């Protein structure tokens, strides 16, 4: 794979120019470009610049509001709904998260339901932002169907990611962020682009047979959930939280609504925050650290989030797929 070294400021500039060229104002372009740049910084390549052509496609088709102005509405003292004004999710998150932090730090528990947005970024951005404010964060979102429920050969669930972040004082938070499919579709697409196989059983081909060919899964095939019926139950829970509870589209409804422009479909996101200080008490950090010490003392264990946080320390350029850079430059 040919790559080109790009400083993080250049990554941001490239994303920002592509988005503003296609109608985004500063707020909308800045929120998305920041999310994309942080993904490249941390080595979440399937959610970095790789997503820009899709974001641009959804601006060109006018599916996404390039000048969105999300608004917060308090449903109860602990539950806030952000109306995303049909823009990209990072904008609604930027507007909603400070209110969630405020209410959770006061009441111990808070819920942010995000509606009318278009989301295909990683979720650790939002859970980690909560952890940086000494809160536990849980977030999940549904997407268009590409994953078969356990026992089925046809898609009904999205790749439905869920992220959890645990804060640690004077340390990076412990964060996991994972699709409930065997693999995120972005990773499958990147494997197809780069000519790599995926583990056998990641998904089924169009005839319903297990395959290790990412092209066959991405084109007419279907992904499977991780852990068979157990992952399937979690994927179902995410549909219910991010669509049923939030009051936005289930994956199957998002598919019907979407214009298939290659950009993110419309949908909602469920974010919950908890204050360990108010719920567990003053000793929460020391107590949890004892647990993490036990965990990391076992041979072979690393904490989730560690790979990204190590990548983050490197302030140098990132190697970006040259074809992708050319593609984005052709959009400017
Ligand atoms: P991965 O399988 O790469 O990683 C899942 C999690 O496991 C990460 O938190 C990772 O931490 C952790 N992890 C990986 N290896 C180990 C290990 N050996 N020990 C301990 N922890 C480990 O992620 P996915 O491919 O499932 O998902 C990728 C991204 O796709 C996510 O960010 C998700 O939000 C996003 N996504 C977004 C969608 C959307 O619609 N918005 C849809 C689907 C996915 P670390 O990062 O440190 O490696």
């Amino acid at each position: 794979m040919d790559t080109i070294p790009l400083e993080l400021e250049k990554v941001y500039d490239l994303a920002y120019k592509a988005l503003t060229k296609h109608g985004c104002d500063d707020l909308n372009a800045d929120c998305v470009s920041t999310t994309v740049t942080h993904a490249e910084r941390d080595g979440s390549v399937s959610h970095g610049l790789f997503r820009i052509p899709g974001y641009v496609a959804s601006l060109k088709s006018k599916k996404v509001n390039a000048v969105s102005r999300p608004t917060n509405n308090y449903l109860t003292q602990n539950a806030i709904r952000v109306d995303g004004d049909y823009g990209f999710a990072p904008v609604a998150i930027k507007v909603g998260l400070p209110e969630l932090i405020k209410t959770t730090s006061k009441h111990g528990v808070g819920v942010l339901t995000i509606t009318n947005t278009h989301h295909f970024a990683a979720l650790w951005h939002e859970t980690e932002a909560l952890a940086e404010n000494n809160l536990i964060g849980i977030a999940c979102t549904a997407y268009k169907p590409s994953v078969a429920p356990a026992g089925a050969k046809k898609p009904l669930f999205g790749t439905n990611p869920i992220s959890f972040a645990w804060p640690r004082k004077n340390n990076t938070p412990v964060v996991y962020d994972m699709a409930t499919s065997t693999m995120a579709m972005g990773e499958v697409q990147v494997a197809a682009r780069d000519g790599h196989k995926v583990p056998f059983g990641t998904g089924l081909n169009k005839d319903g047979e297990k395959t290790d060919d990412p092209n066959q899964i991405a084109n007419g095939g279907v992904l499977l959930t991780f852990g068979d019926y157990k992952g399937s139950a979690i994927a179902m829970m995410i549909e219910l939280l991010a669509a049923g509870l939030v009051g936005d589209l289930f994956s199957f409804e998002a598919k019907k609504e979407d214009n298939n422009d290659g950009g993110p479909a419309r949908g909602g996101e469920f974010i919950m925050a908890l204050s360990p200080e108010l719920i567990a008490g003053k000793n929460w950090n020391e107590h949890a650290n004892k647990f993490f010490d036990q965990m990391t003392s076992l041979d072979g264990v690393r904490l989730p989030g560690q790979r990204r946080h190590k990548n983050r320390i490197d302030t140098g350029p990132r190697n970006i797929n040259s074809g992708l850079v050319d593609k984005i430059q052709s959009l400017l």
Side-chain angles (χ1 to χ4, degrees):
M1 179 181 73
D2 286 342
T3 61
I4 176 167
L6 277 192
E7 299 288 343
L8 289 172
E9 303 85 74
K10 292 264 166 54
V11 168
Y12 177 92
D13 278 356
L14 193 57
Y16 187 90
K17 279 185 187 144
L19 294 164
T20 46
K21 167 82 184 177
H22 294 277
C24 280
D25 62 3
D26 178 63
L27 172 69
N28 286 260
D30 175 60
C31 289
V32 177
S33 304
T34 301
T35 299
V36 161
T37 307
H38 288 173
E40 291 293 351
R41 178 198 65 190
D42 282 16
S44 294
V45 286
S46 59
H47 292 83
L49 286 172
F50 180 68
R51 294 290 172 184
I52 289 293
Y55 284 126
V56 167
S58 61
L59 293 169
K60 278 185 177 169
S61 75
K62 309 269 184 238
K63 179 172 78 186
V64 170
N65 180 3
V67 292
S68 71
R69 286 293 177 273
T71 46
N72 291 322
N73 303 291
Y74 271 83
L75 305 174
T76 71
Q77 68 171 8
N78 303 73
I80 307 152
R81 176 186 287 151
V82 190
D83 183 329
D85 194 23
Y86 303 96
F88 292 123
V91 193
I93 291 163
K94 181 169 182 164
V95 170
L97 227 51
E99 289 299 312
L100 179 62
I101 291 166
K102 205 161 68 183
T103 203
T104 309
S105 303
K106 186 165 173 200
H107 301 295
V109 180
V111 167
L112 190 72
T113 60
I114 299 182
T115 61
N116 299 328
T117 55
H118 296 81
H119 201 322
F120 66 7
L123 301 184
W124 53 260
H125 303 275
E126 36 270 40
T127 56
E128 212 168 295
L130 292 168
E132 279 158 8
N133 284 276
N134 287 321
L135 300 174
I136 296 159
I138 302 172
C140 59
T141 186
Y143 198 61
K144 286 195 294 184
S146 58
V147 180
K153 293 184 173 174
K154 295 242 179 303
L156 179 68
F157 302 146
T159 47
N160 294 7
I162 182 160
S163 177
F164 170 88
W166 180 275
R168 289 191 296 172
K169 289 184 181 166
N170 305 316
N171 209 336
T172 50
V174 176
V175 189
Y176 75 70
D177 182 15
M178 56 180 207
T180 45
S181 50
T182 46
M183 244 178 149
M185 188 53 98
E187 302 284 352
V188 175
Q189 287 162 346
V190 167
R193 181 194 70 188
D194 297 345
H196 300 145
K197 294 233 179 277
V198 293
F200 188 75
T202 295
L204 309 176
N205 64 19
K206 63 177 172 24
D207 303 318
E209 291 154 355
K210 286 188 175 174
T211 178
D212 57 6
D213 181 344
N215 277 304
Q216 289 193 21
I217 297 168
N219 302 306
V222 65
L223 280 163
L224 296 173
T225 57
F226 78 90
D228 199 2
Y229 60 88
K230 297 186 183 183
S232 185
I234 296 175
M236 177 190 74
M237 176 192 78
I238 292 169
E239 294 279 342
L240 292 169
L241 291 177
L245 181 65
V246 165
D248 210 303
L249 303 173
F250 286 102
S251 295
F252 79 95
E253 293 171 326
K255 183 184 176 192
K256 283 186 200 147
E257 290 268 324
D258 197 41
N259 64 4
N260 296 314
D261 56 11
R266 183 158 73 79
E269 180 174 359
F270 170 81
I271 306 181
M272 186 168 183
L274 302 157
S275 163
E277 189 89 18
L278 295 183
I279 297 172
K282 295 273 171 241
N283 193 37
W284 66 271
N285 186 53
E286 292 70 23
H287 190 202
N289 276 343
K290 285 187 191 159
F291 165 73
F292 291 128
D293 288 345
Q294 288 287 320
M295 213 175 140
T296 49
S297 71
L298 300 172
D299 270 352
V301 170
R302 76 151 168 95
L303 295 173
Q306 233 171 29
R307 177 195 60 87
R308 283 190 304 100
H309 297 140
K310 268 192 194 149
N311 285 342
R312 196 176 288 182
I313 295 165
D314 177 4
T315 53
R318 300 299 190 263
N319 293 320
I320 314 289
N321 180 286
S322 323
L324 175 62
V325 174
D326 291 346
K327 193 170 176 180
I328 299 172
Q329 260 157 358
S330 75
L331 299 170
L332 302 183

